[in-house]
Amino acid sequence: MLEENLPLVETAFKKYYFENFNLLPVPTRSSEREFGYQKFNGGMNRHIGIKSNEELRLMLITNNPSDVYCSNGYYSFPNLPMSEKDWKEADLIFDIDAKDLNLDCRKEHTCIKCLACSEISSLQLTCPSCKSTKIEIKSVTCINCINGAKQEVFKLKKILEEDLAIKKEKIQVYFSGNEGFHIHVTDSVYQKLGSRERNDLVDYIMFRGIMPETFGMKKYKPERSSFVNIDDKGWRGRASKHIFGSKSKRSKAITEIISDPNGYTIFQHKLENLRDVIGVKIDPNVTIDIHRIFRLPGSLNSKSGMSKILCENLETINPFSDACFIDDEKTDIVADCPIEFTLKNKKFGPYQNEKVTIPKYAAIYLICKGLVNAT
Amino acid sequence: MTDLGQDEMSKYPFLADAGQYLKDQGFTLDQFGSDPDLQLFLDKAIHRIKSAANGILYKSDIKDNETSSDATLPIEVFSFLLAVILLKLNGNNTLIRKFSLAEARRAEDYLKKDLKEMSDKVELAKKIIYSLSSITVENADKKNEFFIPVYDYLKHSVHFHEKEWKLINRHVEDGKVFLNSEKVARLVRSELSNFISKKILSANSPSMVTGFKKSLEELASLAKKYYVPTMISTEYPPCIKHAIDVMEKGENLPHSGRFLLGTYLLGIGKSIEQIAPLFKNAPDYNEKITMYQLNHLKGSSGSGTEYKCPSCERVKSKDLCFATSDCDGIINPIQFKKKKILNA
């Protein structure tokens, strides 16, 4: 973040925490969790113990952080170094990021910033100004991406509830504050799973590592009777629906597969291709990590200036309005954003390195995204 | 644990209270060493240990899943108990581990059969599984189909590296994983093995019985095979020292640990011939397979891909990292030696 823009963002964040402190109550069992924060253009401060709302408020006022984090893990001594914390258990957490969906619309709201000459331009492989290949990809999010991410959340919730028998009320969905959703599962039977077990759970959710035999397709002498049914629960039924289409087409499809000498390989490829369609696109590293500090619900995301908020109704939530809490005071900045974006139902951009007067929430958004220049 | 009938005592002798059983039958240890009529039991015990050492499942006299005659029960139980005493007197950890694994596999076979039976044997098998592993096994609607909670499945299945054990390759619904009796029994093999070895290791050391001398000499010469010249070098990183330590004790190092050890030692220039003996003490050691796997890692067989030592991050994720301050600044165990040299 440019030093020149820091005071504006710092003041806006401070004001948010002062006026909206009720949006970030400390999570349950806070005395067993590790907290952390980052300061603007500063490093990470971890291993902090916070027991109450008052202590959290004091931390926010004293440090004016850019980002605030809290562990999904529970420890006997959360404020000691990692090796001495004594890990007890951890909530299951999932991160779904619109960036990972690679939707067609993404190129329309992505641009590049040259790391050599700082020139911001439309999406391309090299800087048009200095020809450097050292570029940083910058993107804003569109409602299409958010809707795509929502679909992934629905897929995930279905697996958590139907396959893993996690009760609805134990699953909380949050808008991440930037380009996706965070899903927290608290107080479930899976709390004590370690990293390795979570890794296998991740593969299950992402539909990775599937074998044709799981669906009844044998390598040698495949038999019709061993194939699973479309009505089966779990992945067997869900994937069969995609492979065979419908009950009436199943029989013919099986005949084709078992009579083809390359049937096994064909079936294997079908399953691999299906992974991108039916597997849930979660970030595996987040779920595997049992010592992670994860963005605190209600806190601001310094990548956008928006808040991480609870989605009570995922269908209807529009984060570009509902998670945008910075006020609309007129603000002057030099915007350099070759792509359009929408906040609070208002369209902004494109701006070509020009001085503009826009509401503060949009100015903060551009600064956080790094799409501004010094005046 | 649970009340055992005659059949169960023969199938799962490790569940019996050894001292109590001997007392109940009116025998003392000295009698087994001195009475020629009881020599048979001692021979059987040695046979049981030797079979285990050679990776062969000891063939018992149980037929059709039931003890075949009145004589079978004492032979099965006494030979097991005497084997434990002989192992305890011999004290070789590798032999104990090998024996425990072989006995676990034998018990696994019976668990498999008992689960399949439509009698009270099923309930007893389930009780045994629960006592050893805390896994609650329940019958599903189909014949020879059971289910266990997903949590319990994951806790046990992560130790297997075959793809078929991945959760994605199982029938999962409503928080349950569906398995047949073979898979349920296989899932608890390591618990069975650990239970048996713990029982042996924690048993009080018996005082020497003169009549056991010959049998113990036989065991001593058998144990010689498992002596491995120690390879510990101060230049090895702690994760490798730990892996070598586990192997030398004859404990079971997971697949990922063996991969780490093999790729590390190959990476620092050791030859396959130098590395292979390290694996000799593994409870499931098989010389042919070890040589094949090391050659595979080196890239001299199979696809020709040479496998590199995994990164510290990867090692950490597999719970195999035992970093000390000497590890600061390295991202792969292979850099440890180089760093040491640089610092020297």
Side-chain angles (χ1 to χ4, degrees):
Chain A
M1 198 173 288
L2 292 171
E3 286 294 328
E4 188 181 316
N5 294 318
L6 260 184
L8 179 68
V9 183
E10 278 182 326
T11 312
F13 272 45
K14 199 173 209 168
K15 187 169 176 239
Y16 167 82
Y17 286 122
F18 189 74
E19 289 175 355
N20 299 287
F21 187 72
N22 59 325
L23 291 180
L24 55 162
V26 286
T28 51
R29 297 172 66 185
S30 70
S31 61
E32 295 167 83
R33 297 184 191 250
E34 176 199 355
F35 286 76
Y37 67 86
Q38 244 173 319
K39 285 185 138 185
F40 290 95
N41 292 348
M44 178 73 86
N45 298 282
R46 289 190 66 158
H47 315 300
I48 298 167
I50 287 179
K51 295 187 188 70
S52 63
N53 286 328
E54 289 68 34
E55 284 183 27
L56 176 63
R57 188 188 286 251
L58 186 67
M59 189 273 273
L60 293 172
I61 292 171
T62 324
N63 298 295
N64 195 24
S66 66
D67 299 273
V68 188
Y69 305 97
C70 169
S71 67
N72 61 324
Y74 302 89
Y75 307 95
S76 302
F77 312 103
N79 52 346
L80 294 184
M82 197 51 85
S83 56
E84 298 164 37
K85 276 187 170 28
D86 183 27
W87 184 88
K88 292 197 255 188
E89 57 185 59
D91 297 335
L92 269 183
I93 50 170
F94 302 93
D95 180 16
I96 291 174
D97 197 315
K99 279 194 209 98
D100 300 332
L101 306 181
N102 291 319
L103 298 177
D104 290 341
C105 60
R106 180 139 288 268
K107 53 184 179 295
E108 290 161 24
H109 49 82
T110 303
C111 58
I112 58 161
K113 185 169 190 172
C114 176
L115 293 173
C117 72
S118 298
E119 176 88 5
I120 295 171
S121 32
S122 57
L123 188 61
Q124 49 204 299
L125 293 172
T126 52
C127 171
S129 176
C130 74
K131 307 291 173 215
S132 168
T133 50
K134 285 179 184 159
I135 52 170
E136 191 184 352
I137 304 283
K138 299 267 180 193
S139 63
V140 296
T141 321
C142 77
I143 196 71
N144 188 45
C145 281
I146 290 298
N147 287 339
K150 279 185 185 178
Q151 291 314 309
E152 295 301 311
V153 178
F154 288 125
K155 274 156 68 179
L156 173 66
K157 281 189 77 182
K158 195 176 164 71
I159 294 173
L160 295 179
E161 287 169 24
E162 292 179 5
D163 295 15
L164 303 179
I166 295 172
K167 290 199 172 78
K168 247 186 202 142
E169 57 271 22
K170 298 200 189 274
I171 307 171
Q172 291 94 36
V173 180
Y174 294 89
F175 169 62
S176 72
N178 191 23
E179 299 212 34
F181 294 93
H182 291 170
I183 296 89
H184 297 222
V185 177
T186 46
D187 189 28
S188 77
V189 291
Y190 302 100
Q191 294 280 113
K192 288 196 193 303
L193 287 182
S195 265
R196 288 171 70 191
E197 293 91 351
R198 286 174 201 236
N199 197 8
D200 199 19
L201 203 57
V202 161
D203 286 344
Y204 182 83
I205 289 165
M206 297 182 83
F207 198 66
R208 295 199 301 199
I210 189 87
M211 292 165 75
E213 286 83 351
T214 306
F215 292 89
M217 179 63 195
K218 294 180 196 159
K219 207 164 197 168
Y220 305 105
K221 294 185 185 166
E223 296 156 19
R224 166 179 299 279
S225 60
S226 56
F227 275 82
V228 299
N229 287 313
I230 280 181
D231 298 335
D232 282 352
K233 290 189 177 165
W235 276 127
R236 290 153 62 114
R238 278 194 297 273
S240 295
K241 276 186 199 99
H242 279 267
I243 296 168
F244 303 127
S246 64
K247 255 186 188 176
S248 55
K249 290 178 188 160
R250 179 179 173 271
S251 180
K252 199 181 158 206
I254 293 176
T255 310
E256 273 175 25
I257 294 164
I258 59 175
S259 53
D260 191 321
N262 296 319
Y264 185 86
T265 317
I266 293 169
F267 196 80
Q268 198 164 26
H269 285 149
K270 269 191 183 185
L271 289 174
E272 277 161 19
N273 295 335
L274 208 52
R275 191 179 60 207
D276 290 337
V277 183
I278 61 175
V280 186
K281 292 174 190 68
I282 54 173
D283 178 344
N285 298 324
V286 171
T287 307
I288 295 166
D289 195 346
I290 54 170
H291 299 111
R292 180 169 282 254
I293 48 172
F294 208 39
R295 195 169 295 286
L296 181 71
S299 68
L300 288 170
N301 189 325
S302 75
K303 291 180 202 154
S304 68
M306 292 196 282
S307 303
K308 171 166 172 175
I309 55 161
L310 180 67
C311 305
E312 274 166 19
N313 186 343
L314 188 63
E315 297 262 11
T316 57
I317 198 162
N318 177 358
F320 303 120
S321 308
D322 302 336
C324 195
F325 286 89
I326 308 285
D327 65 61
D328 55 3
E329 188 189 336
K330 296 265 178 281
T331 307
D332 295 334
I333 50 159
V334 180
D336 195 357
C337 174
I339 41 184
E340 274 185 18
F341 63 97
T342 303
L343 285 177
K344 293 197 181 177
N345 295 320
K346 249 181 128 175
K347 266 193 184 161
F348 297 94
Y351 304 116
Q352 294 209 321
N353 204 13
E354 55 194 285
K355 193 166 183 177
V356 292
T357 304
I358 52 175
K360 199 193 278 172
Y361 59 81
I364 298 283
Y365 186 76
L366 282 174
I367 295 170
C368 289
K369 290 278 173 191
L371 296 170
V372 289
N373 270 326
T375 42
Chain B
M1 172 167 285
T2 184
D3 289 334
L4 300 172
Q6 182 155 308
D7 289 343
E8 282 69 37
M9 194 90 103
S10 313
K11 293 175 192 168
Y12 314 113
F14 48 89
L15 297 179
D17 180 336
Q20 194 57 43
Y21 185 79
L22 285 179
K23 226 184 250 171
D24 290 350
Q25 301 296 314
F27 289 107
T28 63
L29 274 186
D30 287 327
Q31 276 175 281
F32 285 100
S34 54
D35 188 339
D37 288 344
L38 298 177
Q39 180 63 34
L40 160 79
F41 297 109
L42 208 54
D43 292 345
K44 197 94 179 170
I46 287 285
H47 170 63
R48 222 166 162 146
I49 298 171
K50 277 186 177 171
S51 306
N54 292 320
I56 301 163
L57 280 202
Y58 154 72
K59 284 211 179 69
S60 56
D61 296 326
I62 302 170
K63 287 202 179 96
D64 301 326
N65 207 18
E66 283 183 9
T67 40
S68 53
S69 71
D70 288 347
T72 309
L73 174 69
I75 290 179
E76 293 299 317
V77 183
F78 284 143
S79 63
F80 176 84
L81 298 178
L82 288 172
V84 169
I85 290 159
L86 290 172
L87 284 168
K88 194 77 198 169
L89 286 168
N90 170 270
N92 183 287
N93 274 344
T94 305
L95 276 186
I96 293 175
R97 297 277 167 189
K98 281 187 176 269
F99 176 78
S100 305
L101 179 64
E103 288 295 324
R105 291 183 58 198
R106 174 182 175 273
E108 182 188 325
D109 270 351
Y110 292 121
L111 275 181
K112 209 155 63 184
K113 284 175 194 150
D114 285 350
L115 277 173
K116 265 188 203 165
E117 293 214 7
M118 299 303 287
S119 67
D120 53 358
K121 284 196 168 90
V122 186
E123 290 313 311
L124 191 90
K126 286 188 199 171
K127 262 191 199 167
I128 292 173
I129 291 171
Y130 182 77
S131 324
L132 295 178
S133 66
S134 306
I135 297 179
T136 314
V137 181
E138 291 193 55
N139 285 70
D141 295 337
K142 279 189 210 159
K143 203 183 162 199
N144 192 27
E145 194 174 50
F146 305 86
F147 62 79
I148 65 170
V150 171
Y151 175 87
D152 289 338
Y153 179 81
L154 286 171
K155 276 282 177 198
H156 291 80
S157 66
V158 287
H159 303 297
F160 303 135
H161 61 271
E162 294 92 348
K163 226 173 160 186
E164 65 158 324
W165 286 97
K166 287 183 74 61
L167 187 65
I168 185 78
N169 290 316
R170 294 277 162 229
H171 171 190
V172 180
E173 77 178 68
D174 201 24
K176 303 162 195 157
V177 180
F178 290 76
L179 302 162
N180 61 24
S181 59
E182 280 83 6
K183 300 293 179 202
V184 173
R186 175 65 186 93
L187 210 54
V188 295
R189 183 193 291 172
S190 71
E191 259 89 4
L192 282 168
S193 175
N194 288 341
F195 180 84
I196 299 168
S197 63
K198 260 188 209 158
K199 195 153 181 174
I200 301 173
L201 293 169
S202 64
N204 293 330
S205 285
S207 46
M208 183 60 192
V209 177
T210 331
F212 289 177
K213 207 178 158 199
K214 201 175 141 260
S215 306
L216 281 168
E217 277 169 7
E218 258 188 89
L219 279 197
S221 81
L222 190 63
K224 260 188 203 157
K225 230 170 85 177
Y226 302 107
Y227 170 74
V228 179
T230 185
M231 273 188 78
I232 287 280
S233 147
T234 49
E235 286 167 355
Y236 288 155
C239 53
I240 300 300
K241 279 186 194 160
H242 167 262
I244 293 176
D245 196 33
V246 170
M247 281 312 228
E248 283 186 342
K249 278 189 197 148
E251 288 170 7
N252 194 30
L253 188 67
H255 174 73
S256 46
R258 295 178 193 203
F259 180 85
L260 165 71
L261 187 57
T263 49
Y264 174 85
L265 293 172
L266 285 169
I268 61 163
K270 299 265 180 212
S271 69
I272 288 179
E273 290 67 30
Q274 283 174 301
I275 303 168
L278 262 184
F279 293 85
K280 221 168 160 182
N281 282 352
D284 53 356
Y285 176 73
N286 178 316
E287 191 183 350
K288 258 190 183 170
I289 295 176
T290 304
M291 292 306 278
Y292 166 78
Q293 286 174 336
L294 286 171
N295 273 306
H296 192 78
L297 291 182
K298 204 182 174 187
S300 39
S301 73
S303 62
T305 312
E306 188 188 339
Y307 289 87
K308 299 282 182 207
C309 181
S311 67
C312 292
E313 200 180 334
R314 188 96 189 127
V315 174
K316 214 175 200 173
S317 76
K318 300 282 180 192
D319 291 335
L320 294 165
C321 171
F322 300 87
T324 62
S325 55
D326 282 344
C327 299
D328 289 350
I330 65 165
I331 56 167
N332 191 299
I334 218 98
Q335 294 165 325
F336 188 86
K337 197 176 169 184
K338 290 176 195 157
K339 191 192 153 213
K340 277 270 199 188
I341 293 167
L342 279 174
N343 290 348

